[in-house]
Amino acid sequence: MRGVLNSLLQDLHYALRQFRKSHGFTIVAVLTLALGIGANTAIFSVVNGVLLNPLPFPHANRIVSMFEATPDFFKGSISYPNFLDWQRDNRSFEAMAAYRSTDGSITGVAQPENVRAQRVSANFFPILGVNPILGRNFTSEEDRRGAGPTALISEGLWKRKFGSDPNVIGKRLIVAGQARTIIGVIPASFRLHVFNFRTADVYEAVGEETDPAFYLRDSHWNMDAIGLLKPGITLAQACDDMKRVNAGLANAYPSVDGNVKTNIIPLKDNIVGDMRSVLLVLLGAVGFVLLIACVNVANLLLARSTARQREFSIRAALGAGQMRIVRQLLTESVLLSALGGTLGLILAKWGTTAALVAVPETVPRAEEIGIHLSALLFTVFVSVLTGIVFGLLPAIKMSRTDISERLKDGGRAISGSRSSIQSVLVMGEMAMALVLLVGAGLMCRTLVQLWKIDPGFDPHNVSFFEVTPPPSLVNQPPDAILAALRQISATLHSVPGVEALSLHDGAVPMDHDNEKGFLLEGQEPPKQRTEYFPQTVEYTVEPEYLKTMRIPLLRGRFLSDEDNESSARVVVIDASFAQQYFAGQDPIGKRIRIFEFDSDSNQRISVPLVIVGVVGHVNQWGLAEDASRPLQAQMYRPILQRGAVDMKRLARGFNVFVRSKTPLAPEAFFEPIRQKLLASNRDMVVYDNESEEEVVAQSIASQRFSLILLGTFAGLALLLAGIGIYGVLAYLVGQRTRDIGVRMALGAQRLDVLRMVLREGARMTLAGAVIGLAVALALTRLMASMLFGVRPTDPITFATVAALLCAIALFACYIPARRASKVDPMVALRYE
Amino acid sequence: MTETNQALIQITDMTKVFYTDEIETHALSGVHLSVNKGEYVAMSGPSGCGKSTLLSIIGLLDTPTAGRYFLNSKPVENLDFAERARIRNQEIGFIFQSFNLIGDLTVYENVELPLTYRQRMPSVEHKKRVMEALERVGMAHRLKHYPSQLSGGQQQRVAVARALAGHPSILLADEPTGNLDSRNGEAVMELLANLHKDGATICMVTHDPRFAKHAQREIHLFDGKVVAEEELKKLLQETSA
Ligand SMILES: Nc1ncnc2c1ncn2[C@@H]1O[C@H](COP(=O)(O)OP(=O)(O)OP(=O)(O)O)[C@@H](O)[C@H]1O
Ligand SMILES: [Mg+2]
């Protein structure tokens, strides 16, 4: 044991001395490895944080997300009465909790501030295993209709607004004009981000809602749910159980629930979403980068081994066995990659931060990404493995060549076979680089295709922000609310530089959806709800919306100022709506019916709308997704013609779209607007300013993220492969200087020699490219879901990228080739 | 030297100076030399006297610092690289001390090499010339072998065949037997003698007086100058004294 340790120390000591002796080689090798290992550590830490790590909840693997599936939405929102029945009738869940997001301004404590608020069921936090650091969770009594308003607040809000007051429990907090009793403080460590739920500052009980419309079985108020499966219950069993529960609901409420379906997916899948395939593709890509780095270092070692042949023949002559020599060489290579790994770790730390900053909000669970223990272990493992992978081949090669052969003929016969190994390695790395380039190329074409898509509106110079009116407005009658809205609109119009603007509610292109069921003229509502009402995306706007967004008017007219609360209800539809429901007819003057909640009769009543115009289709679901979404029909209604319930919602908050006359930084444009509004009323909150250009860009953020990373890795691979082929050719030229001199003595022109070396490089490159194309053909299928408007086998991409690789490789070859062509033929005369 | 024979090589007052790190080495100083068609000339002299330098200038591998050089009556001392490469290819056959066969190429390919640098020669012609040359040196049975699979003597015979394949005006050999044992050296010398008998012009550098005897004429170099044999002896005695 001691002997082994001693000889290991000896090996280490010797290896370090070797590095000092040839520091040029050491630096190049360590840098190459650092890039390869660093990229892997970075992506691994992302994959680990997002995909591998369990969610930070005690029963994470039993927690599922639940939705009501509809023909238009796989993850449709749940009606609250249905949710309550699911909760009561199921047999496979320990608990179920609903949630939906709202927001509102906090008034009464310092400056009014708009905060994100989440409405959750009483057992929402218990399911997640989150305990308040102060106070308690909601009781089921507090989660009932008409219960006294309570609130859980975030640790952040507690610090910010209450100075971490330990006696905050029982204090009052006014949220959206509603006084609430604080019952607990949720720790800052709690984080969850899924559709309809974001870590918030205020949590309220979902069941305390007083609006009767919320309790209609056909109301879908953007509510989703989570459930905690009983131990041992599988997802499939839970789905079957919910089918049984829904069959009961269909029986009891055939006109509404005839076709109700529950969609259950693991919470983690809901969080990770599409990112899984992106991350796995990236992990594969960095694997290739590392392999290429390994190949380069292996080639460097092979080249060096020629120089070190003497050393090892002497060692062998002194009686060192083959194993001993292999071990010595492996010690060197593992040490080399350990150095590379250490440097790589730093690169990784820096790279992950940079990547997450470059494309924020793209990667779920980003806050859980970091170089933790598992990433460290991964780096150590990869480093050692890397050292063995790139070190083994040269080590075996070197320990095998027998001494007598080395002494004979200056080692020329050996160098022949060794250089052929190097050529094969170079072909391999060319192939891998090509695969990565194809991936990046496909992503690049995807992005080009996406940018070519017409969003249906002109996002330039358009800003978007949110307004929360003074909390007192909520309790005003509809007339007063309308007057306030008109007042705000007029104030906004008086801001210099404003070209057009529109107050806005409902769906927001590429940001937020809102649907409405409707019936065509003469169409009867289905008796049995085995069919759904036709659905349309609903935008609530002012007449200037069209001008603000520069959406083309195709037929009839857009909404006007005359379409107000006292005139006939009108609607403008989009081209898709017209195409789908009025194909071959003129929709102008036709009627549709929608159903609005009437608080007097406490039920929905039919409201007829006259179609007065047709406008262009707007990209609602994001550049990449819009075309593939089933729901395409869109309609626009005047904000002044909304019903009483909608008026209340508008009083809580709405959006504003503004077009500026000249291009301005969104901030520079927004600030005067905000000041003007605040000057008109101090209790107003104006926030969340975003330019429409950002919104459009954000809709393809995941593709941009993939392109940036794949592009970086492909660039790295290309660089390494270029260095690789350069290194091998430079080595070969160095080895063959004499041969080249002889050829020149025999009459070879400089061009002949240049061509000869280039041909050698081209041979490796082309062979590598052919292999790479074949591998890419097989692998790009895996990224099909990331692509848009381009097939995974797109011939243009394949051809362009192969041409790029060849051009870069030939450029890399040109340097040694030129050197070869400058060889002095006199070397032929010099003796060895 | 017969005046009626046209001089194949005519060198007058040639000097060659090497500059390295501000040190001037006068490798050749005022060399006059003429070699006729069909002559067999041996060059000898002590180490460092400039034999290889002279041979490399004759073979257009290097250019003189001053002096004139007519090859086949054409001035060649100031040609550019490409032109010199073309003349090397067509007029000159090299035989090196260390054979200098190319390890990655077979015997056949090695011999064919000078022909591949010649424009527009049909491959049938290649084959004919290569086989002719290899038969001439008795190596036609080893076409597919690689140099590392041949003995030193065999390698040098292949190298001679390579020098012959291009049908050059002159064969230049720098100590062709230097890396061979005496038996193999003898065989190569015999080969050169036979080639000369069949009309080849040969310039050979050699240390070995036995081999120099094969030549028609022996040129003695001393310190970059051509000297008579008696003078050489005198000079050698002076330096050793
Ligand atoms: N490239 C060069 N740079 C500098 N000096 C050189 C160069 N080549 C030759 N010399 C010098 O020129 C002189 C003549 O060299 P050369 O090789 O011609 O001698 P040689 O007669 O062939 O000797 P040997 O019998 O040892 O081969 C020597 O002093 C040598 O050091
Ligand atoms: Mg010499």
Side-chain angles (χ1 to χ4, degrees):
Chain A
M1 189 62 212
R2 161 160 289 188
V4 172
L5 204 70
N6 257 339
S7 69
L8 187 70
L9 278 177
Q10 232 173 42
D11 284 352
L12 276 175
H13 182 76
Y14 181 75
L16 280 175
R17 222 172 49 210
Q18 277 294 320
F19 293 165
R20 241 175 286 138
K21 232 164 64 185
S22 46
H23 51 256
F25 159 82
T26 310
I27 289 172
V28 171
V30 167
L31 277 180
T32 306
L33 290 169
L35 285 176
I37 296 173
N40 274 269
T41 301
I43 293 301
F44 175 80
S45 66
V46 175
V47 168
N48 187 51
V50 178
L51 298 185
L52 301 181
N53 271 351
L55 297 174
F57 309 121
H59 305 297
N61 53 352
R62 285 199 279 138
I63 305 176
V64 294
S65 286
M66 308 178 72
F67 309 93
E68 249 188 70
T70 72
D72 289 325
F73 299 100
F74 183 63
K75 295 181 181 177
S77 62
I78 308 170
S79 101
Y80 193 61
N82 279 349
F83 168 76
L84 291 177
D85 289 338
W86 287 359
Q87 219 178 14
R88 191 191 59 218
D89 295 343
N90 84 82
R91 291 175 196 152
S92 37
F93 290 87
E94 227 167 75
M96 242 181 235
Y99 55 85
R100 63 190 199 83
S101 64
T102 64
D103 51 17
S105 55
I106 293 183
T107 44
V109 197
Q111 183 72 30
E113 178 188 356
N114 202 84
V115 295
R116 193 181 298 285
Q118 285 289 157
R119 297 253 167 131
V120 298
S121 297
N123 48 15
F124 180 81
F125 288 114
I127 286 177
L128 297 172
V130 174
N131 295 312
I133 49 173
L134 215 61
R136 55 169 178 83
N137 270 316
F138 296 115
T139 61
S140 45
E141 277 66 43
E142 287 160 343
D143 189 19
R144 287 230 170 103
R145 189 171 183 171
T150 48
L152 284 161
I153 61 172
S154 71
E155 192 177 337
L157 188 76
W158 176 52
K159 284 187 178 145
R160 200 163 69 234
K161 290 264 178 196
F162 297 96
S164 304
D165 177 5
N167 299 316
V168 74
I169 306 301
K171 290 216 159 128
R172 283 157 68 83
L173 181 71
I174 300 170
V175 186
Q178 169 83 266
R180 297 185 168 272
T181 310
I182 297 173
I183 59 157
V185 177
I186 294 295
S189 60
F190 165 67
R191 283 206 172 99
L192 179 64
H193 185 175
V194 289
F195 192 65
N196 282 333
F197 189 96
R198 286 195 110 168
T199 314
D201 275 322
V202 175
Y203 301 94
E204 303 160 2
V206 73
E208 71 174 44
E209 181 64 59
T210 50
D211 192 329
F214 181 64
Y215 296 95
L216 293 182
R217 214 164 267 277
D218 59 357
S219 280
H220 295 264
W221 284 27
N222 288 334
M223 189 165 63
D224 299 333
I226 52 172
L228 180 64
L229 293 173
K230 284 181 181 161
I233 296 289
T234 64
L235 201 63
Q237 287 170 321
C239 289
D240 286 345
D241 185 34
M242 290 312 293
K243 266 193 199 126
R244 177 190 58 79
V245 173
N246 286 330
L249 290 180
N251 247 331
Y253 314 101
S255 67
V256 195
D257 277 346
N259 211 9
V260 69
K261 287 190 191 81
T262 309
N263 170 27
I264 309 176
I265 58 173
L267 177 61
K268 191 161 154 186
D269 290 359
N270 189 25
I271 293 174
V272 172
D274 300 340
M275 218 51 201
R276 175 187 301 275
S277 57
V278 172
L279 288 179
L280 292 180
V281 164
L282 288 176
L283 196 62
V286 282
F288 275 160
V289 172
L290 184 59
L291 272 177
I292 293 174
C294 282
V295 167
N296 270 5
V297 178
N299 268 341
L300 279 177
L301 284 176
L302 280 170
R304 228 162 67 99
S305 67
T306 314
R308 294 178 65 187
Q309 265 172 20
R310 260 188 89 73
E311 173 200 333
F312 283 96
S313 29
I314 291 166
R315 279 169 172 266
L318 293 178
Q322 188 183 336
M323 270 319 290
R324 190 74 186 71
I325 292 181
V326 168
R327 216 178 69 199
Q328 165 66 47
L329 287 166
L330 280 187
T331 308
E332 278 183 44
S333 53
V334 169
L335 192 63
L336 212 52
S337 73
L339 289 175
T342 311
L343 190 59
L345 209 55
I346 299 167
L347 287 181
K349 175 94 192 129
W350 181 78
T352 3
T353 318
L356 292 178
V357 167
V359 199
E361 307 234 346
T362 313
V363 182
R365 304 178 73 187
E367 64 282 352
E368 291 173 57
I369 295 166
I371 313 285
H372 303 306
L373 182 66
S374 45
L376 265 175
L377 288 177
F378 173 83
T379 308
V380 171
F381 172 74
V382 166
S383 299
V384 172
L385 190 72
T386 303
I388 292 172
V389 166
F390 73 72
L392 202 58
L393 193 63
I396 288 175
K397 205 60 208 146
M398 178 111 75
S399 67
R400 276 242 186 96
T401 45
D402 79 84
I403 315 163
S404 63
E405 198 181 329
R406 256 182 245 159
L407 300 177
K408 188 180 149 191
D409 197 27
R412 184 164 296 161
I414 308 167
S415 93
S417 68
R418 180 169 297 138
S419 62
S420 74
I421 290 182
Q422 284 169 294
S423 318
V424 169
L425 288 177
V426 165
M427 285 175 209
E429 68 182 342
M430 285 290 149
M432 289 186 281
L434 187 76
V435 173
L436 288 191
L437 281 173
V438 167
L442 289 173
M443 235 29 244
C444 190
R445 286 213 72 197
T446 293
L447 237 69
V448 169
Q449 294 294 327
L450 286 174
W451 279 123
K452 272 197 219 150
I453 294 175
D454 176 13
F457 59 91
D458 175 9
H460 305 288
N461 301 341
V462 177
S463 254
F464 165 86
F465 58 90
E466 298 187 35
V467 175
T468 307
S472 53
L473 193 64
V474 178
N475 302 320
Q476 309 273 319
D479 291 353
I481 295 174
L482 274 182
L485 292 180
R486 283 190 165 111
Q487 179 59 47
I488 290 171
S489 191
T491 307
L492 285 169
H493 272 288
S494 71
V495 176
V498 169
E499 182 179 319
L501 69 91
S502 168
L503 307 192
H504 187 108
D505 190 35
V508 174
M510 300 188 187
D511 185 274
H512 177 80
D513 65 298
N514 178 51
E515 293 76 35
K516 192 113 196 153
F518 68 92
L519 290 175
L520 297 170
E521 206 161 18
Q523 196 180 7
E524 281 304 310
K527 289 277 176 303
Q528 288 269 1
R529 190 68 77 80
T530 44
E531 274 174 42
Y532 286 84
F533 273 74
Q535 300 273 320
T536 172
V537 178
E538 183 186 38
Y539 305 96
T540 304
V541 299
E542 288 191 292
E544 269 193 14
Y545 184 70
L546 209 64
K547 197 175 151 200
T548 309
M549 297 293 266
R550 295 198 172 149
I551 299 168
L553 177 69
L554 303 180
R555 255 164 183 240
R557 64 171 178 89
F558 195 63
L559 309 173
S560 76
D561 289 329
E562 281 71 53
D563 300 317
N564 56 28
E565 60 272 38
S566 45
S567 64
R569 300 292 178 94
V570 294
V571 66
V572 169
I573 61 173
D574 82 324
S576 299
F577 194 125
Q579 170 65 34
Q580 194 173 350
Y581 298 103
F582 301 103
Q585 310 170 42
D586 184 1
I588 307 297
K590 293 257 169 30
R591 277 161 206 281
I592 60 170
R593 274 190 296 158
I594 57 167
F595 298 85
E596 288 199 326
F597 186 74
D598 176 50
S599 33
D600 296 336
S601 59
N602 206 13
Q603 62 178 18
R604 290 192 195 284
I605 54 165
S606 156
V607 179
L609 305 175
V610 181
I611 297 171
V612 295
V614 179
V615 297
H617 178 74
V618 159
N619 198 307
Q620 167 65 28
W621 307 106
L623 289 179
E625 275 193 59
D626 196 69
S628 60
R629 285 299 193 101
L631 183 53
Q632 293 287 321
Q634 300 170 344
M635 71 174 182
Y636 297 84
R637 296 179 59 204
I639 213 162
L640 301 177
Q641 292 189 346
R642 301 312 303 255
V645 174
D646 293 320
M647 275 301 142
K648 269 213 158 21
R649 212 179 55 236
L650 280 166
R652 283 204 200 97
F654 51 86
N655 311 313
V656 182
F657 284 87
V658 197
R659 171 173 292 280
S660 66
K661 282 184 183 138
T662 49
L664 271 177
E667 267 318 306
F669 185 49
F670 174 63
E671 209 33 49
I673 292 176
R674 203 175 78 91
Q675 292 306 334
K676 192 99 180 184
L677 282 178
L678 291 187
S680 72
N681 192 325
R682 278 277 140 208
D683 281 343
M684 212 176 311
V685 184
V686 186
Y687 65 105
D688 265 10
N689 173 51
E690 217 175 343
S691 80
E692 274 303 297
E693 286 175 60
E694 278 168 47
V695 172
V696 173
Q698 193 62 31
S699 87
I700 53 172
S702 97
Q703 287 87 352
R704 285 194 302 152
F705 178 78
S706 308
L707 175 64
I708 290 175
L709 288 188
L710 266 183
T712 306
F713 297 146
L716 210 56
L718 190 59
L719 179 73
L720 289 177
I723 292 174
I725 195 166
Y726 162 80
V728 166
L729 274 191
Y731 166 78
L732 288 183
V733 166
Q735 286 280 296
R736 295 182 189 168
T737 306
R738 193 181 176 80
D739 284 356
I740 293 165
V742 170
R743 284 170 187 270
M744 286 181 154
L746 297 178
Q749 297 286 354
R750 295 206 191 283
L751 202 62
D752 291 322
V753 173
L754 192 82
R755 261 199 234 119
M756 178 182 78
V757 178
L758 284 182
R759 205 159 39 227
E760 186 128 11
R763 196 171 50 82
M764 291 188 251
T765 308
L766 287 180
V770 168
I771 299 166
L773 285 176
V775 174
L777 269 179
L779 286 186
T780 47
R781 279 182 294 120
L782 299 178
M783 57 186 295
S785 69
M786 295 160 62
L787 301 180
F788 181 90
V790 54
R791 278 180 305 136
T793 55
D794 177 47
I796 295 175
T797 306
F798 274 64
T800 314
V801 150
L804 176 70
L805 179 83
C806 291
I808 297 284
L810 281 186
F811 175 73
C813 298
Y814 180 73
I815 304 164
R818 223 181 102 81
R819 193 182 316 147
S821 76
K822 291 274 147 54
V823 164
D824 183 353
M826 283 291 291
V827 296
L829 274 186
R830 288 185 199 123
Y831 313 134
E832 294 186 339
Chain B
M1 211 191 308
T2 44
E3 291 298 315
T4 49
N5 269 357
Q6 205 194 339
L8 183 65
I9 291 170
Q10 184 68 53
I11 286 176
T12 45
D13 204 14
M14 175 170 292
T15 60
K16 176 71 182 177
V17 186
F18 291 108
Y19 300 91
T20 38
D21 298 331
E22 301 179 12
I23 299 170
E24 291 183 10
T25 311
H26 291 261
L28 298 175
S29 27
V31 171
H32 294 268
L33 175 68
S34 105
V35 177
N36 289 334
K37 231 184 201 121
E39 249 193 313
Y40 186 172
V41 178
M43 291 192 263
S44 60
S47 181
C49 68
K51 305 180 295 289
S52 295
T53 306
L54 181 56
L55 200 73
S56 67
I57 292 176
I58 294 174
L60 295 182
L61 290 175
D62 211 347
T63 49
T65 310
R68 309 238 49 198
Y69 175 13
F70 290 90
L71 179 65
N72 269 331
S73 315
K74 274 177 239 125
V76 291
E77 67 274 2
N78 286 323
L79 299 176
D80 64 5
F81 184 94
E83 196 55 27
R84 281 190 284 132
R86 199 186 56 74
I87 295 174
R88 278 202 299 275
N89 183 257
Q90 297 188 345
E91 309 286 348
I92 292 161
F94 281 104
I95 301 158
F96 305 97
Q97 175 178 341
S98 49
F99 326 139
N100 279 343
L101 295 180
I102 294 189
D104 304 337
L105 302 182
T106 62
V107 163
Y108 181 93
E109 289 164 338
N110 263 291
V111 175
E112 190 190 20
L113 204 54
L115 305 181
T116 61
Y117 296 126
R118 217 168 265 195
Q119 311 265 298
R120 285 185 291 275
M121 181 181 275
S123 61
V124 196
E125 179 70 11
H126 279 202
K127 187 158 176 159
K128 197 178 126 244
R129 296 248 197 135
V130 172
M131 292 314 295
E132 232 173 57
L134 281 171
E135 268 154 26
R136 193 78 186 73
V137 302
M139 288 297 296
H141 58 301
R142 292 291 175 90
L143 297 182
K144 299 256 162 64
H145 283 60
Y146 284 91
S148 59
Q149 298 166 323
L150 301 177
S151 75
Q154 287 172 324
Q155 290 191 40
Q156 193 60 306
R157 271 147 66 196
V158 173
V160 172
R162 183 174 66 184
L164 292 174
H167 293 179
S169 314
I170 185 165
L171 288 176
L172 300 180
D174 194 346
E175 307 211 25
T177 58
N179 281 12
L180 297 175
D181 60 30
S182 59
R183 202 171 55 80
N184 274 316
E186 204 67 65
V188 167
M189 279 303 151
E190 215 158 287
L191 185 56
L192 289 183
N194 286 334
L195 289 171
H196 173 239
K197 222 175 279 163
D198 296 346
T201 312
I202 302 174
C203 254
M204 175 179 73
V205 169
T206 183
H207 271 320
D208 196 325
R210 283 181 301 136
F211 293 148
K213 293 286 174 288
H214 283 280
Q216 279 175 315
R217 179 152 71 98
E218 202 176 343
I219 293 170
H220 301 284
L221 277 176
F222 187 84
D223 206 8
K225 291 188 185 70
V226 180
V227 294
E229 192 170 355
E230 303 74 43
E231 202 179 340
L232 180 72
K233 278 188 185 134
K234 208 172 78 198
L235 286 166
L236 284 174
Q237 269 160 14
E238 272 171 27
T239 44
S240 63

